[in-house]
């Protein structure tokens, strides 16, 4: 055991001499949180729309008022009035407008007579998100043209669906916190553990250590444990800072916080062992760099951290089922947002424990204690 | 006398290349043994096999009485190894480097602390003990490398080109240190080098290795006495070198005449007496003599005698084409 401790001590001491790396490793996932949290959410506002109103009748004016209400109220659209229908549609094609509303000259007459009144909505359907928001806003405006007032009392003869919220509302950026913490773990496992072995090999230092009585278990176990200590520290800091930024209760109850730490620990050990298995023979830090960029995407996005796994195609869902980050994110969401105890997420815990056992065993067995 | 190191037809091949060819040597306890050869001769490969980090393709060896393939743990406990690369951790202080190495060998804390302090003093680093190795010069790092592998008092110390890349002054310091440690720690030392003067200055016995085979072995004096003549007259010729060599070789007082890099090297008993005669002979052969020098026989000459080339000729290093030129291939590490 003394040799294993020496491997851990060497690694932790060396890492402590590079505090900048640790600060970067903590800051980067938090920046991810801020960027992701702000780039995947928010209502679209000020979408430029051309309006060509060729109908000066009652219903034409009424629809125009409805459109102005959308532009002033939720500010979804910004209206530009034009007289030439062709130029309005051309403006959409050119990208000057996201959409054009054409109210034809006979609109009021057709409304009054009830013979298929139609309003033309031309949209730029290459931008699906803007198109969805625009179509929704303009369709609502058109559909509400006959409504004079909102009914105060619901119709008692119509069945109503009653929505009951089981948990406190979770904002989008709060929902990202488990994923960001798991990403911090991934980054931590890539800059500790086996990375230090790769650097030793690259610098030709590994040879001197292999010539001492340290065993395979001392090397693999020592590097995994030192990586665990550093990564756990980083992940805990990232969790606390992310929780403070997004307004999540950091600790809650003792069991809640301990539950979070258990999930972080199992995930960290599992990923460290997996990366040791994959990079145990690498001899150049560039290999680790390439690998890190690739693996981060491969594991992070199918984890359900950003988008529900249920929305994935079947093959990607199958991959998620063997992705440790999927179980880590699921477990953290359950504990952080639902306050579930560990036994309620035993499926995630069992997977993470099995994953750790398999990866650690393979890492030790496949590691060659020779040059 | 018991053997500290004994190899039995040890061989190592990398693909089609045989780096070490069936070497059998025996090194006695207390010897300062030198393995002399140019880069790529197989010295480092042999040392890596003896120190258990490379498995032999065939044959085996016993180090400290233990078989390197069957009892590698016991071998590692009885040796200390200074590798060709400077291997101290730059992010650790000198004391931390040594302390952690002591822990690798499970040296008890009290003994470790005393020995680290003593060794740092002896290698002249006690005042720098708590400074990062990154701040050290090449010579200081080498001294730290040596001190670090002595914390557990090994029976056998392996050094793979320990003074490579050091300036002459630092080299002398390392030589003195090694001689003094060997005496005080009662060690056997196995050293590889491509510096002739290092082998001559330090080693009680030398094996010359080239292309993976031992081509000569003995004390430096024995090796030199194996070559006829005491002096070498070296004539630098600008033309008709081959003709001059043939004429010189035919002379009775010339034991051997060899061309090496355009120089005619004549092995004679009395250099100062024979040099004028050889100059005249070369001129008669149509050669233009541009310089003359007389040398006492050295291990360099022994090497040239056996291989026909100088030890300082650079060998190319193999690199991994798959991973890029920055990455040495296994053989080139």
């Amino acid at each position: 055991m003394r040799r294993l401790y020496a491997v851990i001590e060497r690694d932790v001491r060396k890492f402590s001499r590079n505090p900048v790396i640790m600060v970067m490793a903590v800051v980067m996932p938090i920046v991810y949180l801020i960027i992701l949290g702000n780039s995947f959410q928010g209502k679209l506002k000020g979408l430029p729309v051309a309006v060509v109103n060729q109908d000066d009748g009652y219903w034409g004016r009424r629809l125009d008022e409805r459109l102005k209400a959308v532009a002033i109220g939720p500010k979804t659209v910004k209206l530009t009035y034009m007289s030439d229908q062709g130029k309005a549609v051309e403006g959409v094609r050119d990208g000057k407008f996201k959409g054009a509303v054409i109210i034809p000259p006979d609109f009021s007459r057709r409304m009054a007579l009830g013979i298929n009144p139609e309003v033309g909505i031309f949209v730029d359907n290459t931008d699906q998100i803007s198109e969805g928001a625009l179509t929704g806003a303009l369709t609502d405006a058109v559909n509400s043209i006959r409504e004079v007032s909102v009914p105060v009392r619901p119709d008692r003869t119509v069945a109503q669906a009653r929505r009951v919220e089981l948990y406190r509302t979770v904002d989008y950026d709060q929902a990202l916190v488990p994923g960001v913490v798991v990403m911090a773990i991934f980054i931590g496992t890539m800059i500790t553990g086996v990375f230090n072995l790769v650097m030793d090999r690259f610098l030709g230092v590994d040879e001197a250590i292999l010539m001492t009585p340290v065993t395979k278990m001392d090397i693999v176990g020592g590097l995994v444990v030192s990586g665990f200590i550093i990564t756990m520290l980083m992940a805990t800091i990232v969790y606390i800072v992310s929780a403070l930024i997004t307004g999540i209760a950091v600790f809650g109850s003792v069991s809640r916080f301990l539950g979070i730490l258990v999930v972080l620990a199992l995930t960290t050990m599992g990923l460290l062992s997996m990366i040791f298995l994959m990079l145990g023979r690498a001899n150049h830090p560039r290999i680790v760099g390439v690998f890190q960029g690739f693996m981060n995407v491969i594991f992070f996005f199918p984890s359900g951290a950003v988008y529900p796994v249920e929305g994935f195609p079947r093959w990607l869902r199958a991959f998620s089922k063997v992705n440790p980050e999927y179980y880590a994110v699921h477990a953290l969401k359950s504990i952080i947002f639902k306050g579930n105890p560990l036994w309620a997420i035993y499926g995630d815990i069992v997977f993470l424990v099995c994953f750790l056992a398999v990866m650690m065993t393979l890492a030790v067995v496949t590691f060659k204690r020779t040059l | 006398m018991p053997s500290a190191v004994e190899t039995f037809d040890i061989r190592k091949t990398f693909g089609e290349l045989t780096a070490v060819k069936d070497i059998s040597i025996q090194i006695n306890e207390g010897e300062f043994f030198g393995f002399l050869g140019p880069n790529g001769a197989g010295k480092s490969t042999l040392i890596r096999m003896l120190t258990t980090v490379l498995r032999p393709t065939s044959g085996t060896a016993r180090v400290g009485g233990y078989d390197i393939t069957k009892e590698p743990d016991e071998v590692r406990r009885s040796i200390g190894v200074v590798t060709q690369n400077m291997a101290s951790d730059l992010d650790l202080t000198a004391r931390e480097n040594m302390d952690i190495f002591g822990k690798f060998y499970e040296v008890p804390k009290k003994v470790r602390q005393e020995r680290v302090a003593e060794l740092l003093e002896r290698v002249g680093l006690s005042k720098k003990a708590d400074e990062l190795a990154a701040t050290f010069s090449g010579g200081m790092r080498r001294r730290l490398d040596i001190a670090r592998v002595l914390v557990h008092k090994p029976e056998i110390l392996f050094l793979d080109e320990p003074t490579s890349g050091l300036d002459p002054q630092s080299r002398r310091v390392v030589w003195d240190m090694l001689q003094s440690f060997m005496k005080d720690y009662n060690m056997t030392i196995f050293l590889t080098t491509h510096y002739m003067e290092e082998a001559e200055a330090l080693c009680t016995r030398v094996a010359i290795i080239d292309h993976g085979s031992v081509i000569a072995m003995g004390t430096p004096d024995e090796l030199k006495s194996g070559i006829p003549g005491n002096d070498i007259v070296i004539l630098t010729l600008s033309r008709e070198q081959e003709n001059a060599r043939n004429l010189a070789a035919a002379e009775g007082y010339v034991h051997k005449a060899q061309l090496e890099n355009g120089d005619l090297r004549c092995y004679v008993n009395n250099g100062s007496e024979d040099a004028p005669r050889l100059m005249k002979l070369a001129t008669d052969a149509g050669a233009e003599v541009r310089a003359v020098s007389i040398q006492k026989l050295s291990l360099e000459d022994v090497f040239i005698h056996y291989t026909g080339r100088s030890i300082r000729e650079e060998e190319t290093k193999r690199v991994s084409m798959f991973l890029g030129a920055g990455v040495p291939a296994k053989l080139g590490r």
Side-chain angles (χ1 to χ4, degrees):
Chain A
M1 284 302 274
R2 201 181 294 174
R3 290 189 303 252
L4 184 112
Y5 288 139
V7 174
I8 298 169
E9 183 190 342
R10 171 177 179 261
D11 209 41
V12 172
R13 276 186 191 276
K14 284 175 69 173
F15 199 84
S16 70
R17 303 279 151 77
N18 294 286
V20 174
I21 304 280
M22 188 147 175
V23 170
M24 281 172 64
V26 168
V27 168
M28 281 193 300
I30 294 170
V31 173
Y32 268 121
L33 172 70
I34 295 165
I35 303 281
L36 274 177
N38 286 288
S39 58
F40 273 113
Q41 66 165 342
K43 288 184 176 166
L44 294 177
K45 287 183 179 169
L47 294 168
V49 172
V51 180
V52 181
N53 189 357
Q54 297 165 333
D55 177 24
D56 55 358
Y58 170 75
W59 292 107
R61 287 198 303 279
R62 193 171 169 100
L63 178 55
D64 185 36
E65 282 165 14
R66 286 284 193 266
L67 291 173
K68 280 178 180 156
V70 175
I72 294 165
K75 296 189 172 68
T76 310
V77 293
K78 188 180 165 194
L79 305 177
T80 302
Y81 287 91
M82 300 178 77
S83 55
D84 188 331
Q85 178 181 334
K87 280 188 180 169
V89 174
E90 198 58 38
V92 178
R93 288 188 196 283
D94 293 348
K96 191 175 168 188
F97 303 114
K98 288 285 181 186
V101 180
I102 313 294
I103 306 170
D106 58 349
F107 180 63
S108 290
R109 191 174 67 83
R110 282 176 176 269
M111 279 293 287
L113 296 173
I115 45 171
N116 297 330
E118 280 184 344
V119 176
I121 298 175
F122 295 81
V123 289
D124 174 2
N125 60 329
T126 60
D127 178 356
Q128 287 191 10
I129 293 172
S130 299
E131 184 214 346
L134 192 62
T135 307
L138 297 177
T139 308
D140 284 351
V142 174
N143 291 346
S144 66
I145 195 168
R146 281 193 190 276
E147 284 177 19
V148 181
S149 60
V150 178
V152 175
R153 197 175 291 166
D155 185 347
R156 286 177 182 278
T157 61
V158 177
Q160 303 285 325
R162 179 163 297 180
R163 182 165 168 266
V164 180
E165 292 188 342
L166 292 174
Y167 305 104
R168 200 173 65 81
T169 305
V170 177
D171 294 341
Y172 181 74
D173 47 1
Q174 289 177 332
L176 286 176
V177 168
V180 165
V181 173
V182 171
M183 182 187 278
I185 292 174
F186 183 82
I187 292 173
T189 57
M190 291 301 295
I191 59 170
T192 61
V194 76
F195 178 73
N196 294 322
L197 181 70
V198 176
M199 280 308 292
D200 280 351
R201 204 170 274 147
F202 180 65
L203 297 170
V205 175
D206 64 321
E207 197 177 347
I209 292 166
L210 295 176
M211 288 162 174
T212 70
V214 290
T215 62
K216 267 167 77 158
M217 190 59 212
D218 293 332
I219 296 172
V220 180
L223 287 172
V224 167
V225 172
S226 70
F228 171 76
I229 293 167
I230 297 162
T231 306
M232 268 302 279
L233 184 63
M234 281 166 42
T236 309
I237 294 172
V238 168
Y239 164 67
I240 292 171
V241 174
S242 303
L244 290 173
I245 289 174
T246 57
I248 296 172
V250 175
F251 298 104
S253 64
V254 172
S255 63
R256 176 179 177 272
F257 191 64
L258 282 178
I260 292 168
L261 292 182
V262 166
V263 175
L264 297 189
L266 287 173
T267 311
T268 303
M269 288 291 275
L271 286 179
L272 277 164
S273 305
M274 179 189 76
I275 291 164
F276 208 108
L277 172 67
M278 291 172 166
L279 294 174
R281 297 295 296 166
N283 58 4
H284 199 297
R286 200 178 293 147
I287 297 173
V288 182
V290 170
F291 188 82
Q292 175 174 6
F294 176 70
M295 297 301 278
N296 194 17
V297 171
I298 293 292
F299 283 100
F300 180 69
F301 287 99
S303 70
V306 181
Y307 199 80
V309 171
E310 288 71 21
F312 297 167
R314 188 174 290 178
W315 62 268
L316 193 54
R317 244 185 292 170
F319 174 72
S320 290
K321 294 291 176 192
V322 292
N323 177 5
E325 292 193 10
Y326 165 74
Y327 295 92
V329 167
H330 183 261
L332 285 175
K333 281 186 172 176
S334 298
I335 299 173
I336 294 172
F337 302 129
K338 300 177 185 174
N340 281 340
L342 281 178
W343 60 261
I345 49 163
Y346 74 93
D348 298 326
I349 300 296
V350 166
F351 179 89
L352 289 172
V353 168
C354 293
F355 184 80
L356 164 62
V358 170
M359 289 298 148
M360 186 60 148
T361 306
L362 289 176
V364 174
V365 169
T366 58
F367 178 68
K368 278 173 73 182
R369 205 202 165 287
T370 48
L371 292 178
Chain B
M1 190 176 282
S3 298
V5 177
E6 199 170 2
T7 69
F8 306 94
D9 291 327
I10 198 162
R11 168 182 279 255
K12 183 70 189 177
T13 56
F14 297 103
E16 292 179 359
L17 193 134
T18 305
V20 171
K21 292 175 190 162
D22 307 325
I23 289 181
S24 294
I25 52 168
Q26 188 196 337
I27 300 165
N28 297 323
E29 278 181 11
E31 266 198 290
F32 200 132
F33 190 87
F35 229 59
L36 182 67
N39 292 331
K43 305 187 298 293
S44 295
T45 303
L46 179 63
I47 226 170
R48 283 174 179 147
M49 287 193 286
L50 296 179
T51 55
T52 76
V53 292
L54 266 188
R55 281 189 75 84
T57 307
S58 63
T60 189
R62 294 184 78 80
V63 173
Y66 302 107
D67 190 291
I68 56 166
T69 54
K70 294 180 187 145
E71 301 157 296
D73 288 339
E74 286 76 8
V75 170
R76 287 178 207 129
R77 280 177 214 284
S78 56
I79 62 171
V81 190
V82 176
T83 57
Q84 202 170 332
N85 293 314
M86 299 218 188
S88 307
D89 284 312
L90 296 173
D91 297 329
L92 300 180
T93 66
R95 195 188 305 279
E96 286 169 345
N97 262 294
M98 294 184 66
D99 192 53
I100 284 171
F101 243 63
K103 287 177 183 170
F104 285 165
Y105 288 95
E106 298 181 295
V107 180
K109 188 176 180 183
K110 197 164 180 300
V111 179
R112 203 171 64 230
Q113 285 173 338
E114 285 169 5
R115 217 171 273 165
V116 166
E118 179 212 325
L119 285 164
L120 282 170
E121 182 69 39
R122 287 190 65 164
V123 299
L125 291 174
S126 53
K127 285 184 183 160
K128 302 270 185 186
D130 297 310
E131 290 184 23
L132 294 181
T135 63
F136 290 4
S137 67
M140 289 161 77
R141 278 192 73 193
R142 202 36 132 186
R143 272 143 53 201
L144 175 59
D145 280 351
I146 293 170
R148 192 172 75 149
V149 300
L150 297 176
V151 178
H152 64 292
K153 281 205 170 180
E155 294 165 35
I156 306 158
L157 178 63
F158 288 88
L159 300 122
D160 193 2
E161 305 201 5
T163 61
S164 186
L166 296 187
D167 59 75
Q169 199 185 345
S170 301
R171 194 174 295 163
R172 291 260 164 214
V173 171
V174 169
W175 291 358
D176 292 344
M177 269 173 42
L178 291 177
Q179 282 172 319
S180 116
F181 279 130
M182 184 185 170
K183 196 170 133 223
D184 297 347
Y185 281 44
N186 205 18
M187 288 187 299
T188 304
I189 295 188
F190 183 108
L191 168 131
T192 74
T193 183
H194 61 262
Y195 294 125
M196 293 292 169
E197 61 275 28
E198 187 160 278
E200 281 198 275
L202 297 174
C203 301
T204 48
R205 214 149 56 97
V206 174
I208 295 178
I209 182 171
D210 193 33
H211 297 304
S213 300
V214 172
I215 53 175
M217 187 158 62
T219 65
D221 285 342
E222 280 170 357
L223 289 172
K224 282 187 273 187
S225 65
I227 307 174
N230 300 317
D231 296 337
I232 307 166
V233 177
I234 302 168
L235 304 172
T236 305
L237 306 175
S238 62
R239 58 175 186 263
E240 298 291 345
Q241 292 105 327
E242 194 61 41
N243 203 13
R245 190 194 73 81
N246 292 339
L247 278 181
E251 292 292 315
Y253 60 92
V254 177
H255 298 291
K256 187 175 177 183
Q258 227 176 1
L259 275 174
E260 197 233 329
N261 295 334
D263 288 347
L264 176 59
R265 301 168 64 89
C266 300
Y267 294 73
V268 297
N269 288 335
N270 192 330
S272 53
E273 210 171 86
D274 296 332
R277 290 200 277 175
L278 285 165
M279 283 172 65
K280 183 171 182 309
L281 184 142
T283 313
D284 292 346
E288 186 188 340
V289 181
R290 302 180 70 178
V292 182
S293 61
I294 302 167
Q295 272 184 10
K296 285 277 169 206
L297 270 179
S298 69
L299 279 181
E300 175 87 29
D301 305 303
V302 176
F303 188 82
I304 293 168
H305 174 76
Y306 284 108
T307 66
R309 62 193 169 85
S310 164
I311 198 167
R312 295 192 197 283
E313 282 172 17
E314 286 296 321
E315 299 246 344
T316 53
K317 209 167 191 178
R318 284 176 51 150
V319 297
S320 164
M321 295 311 289
F322 177 64
L323 293 168
V327 185
K330 196 123 195 167
L331 197 66
R333 281 174 61 116

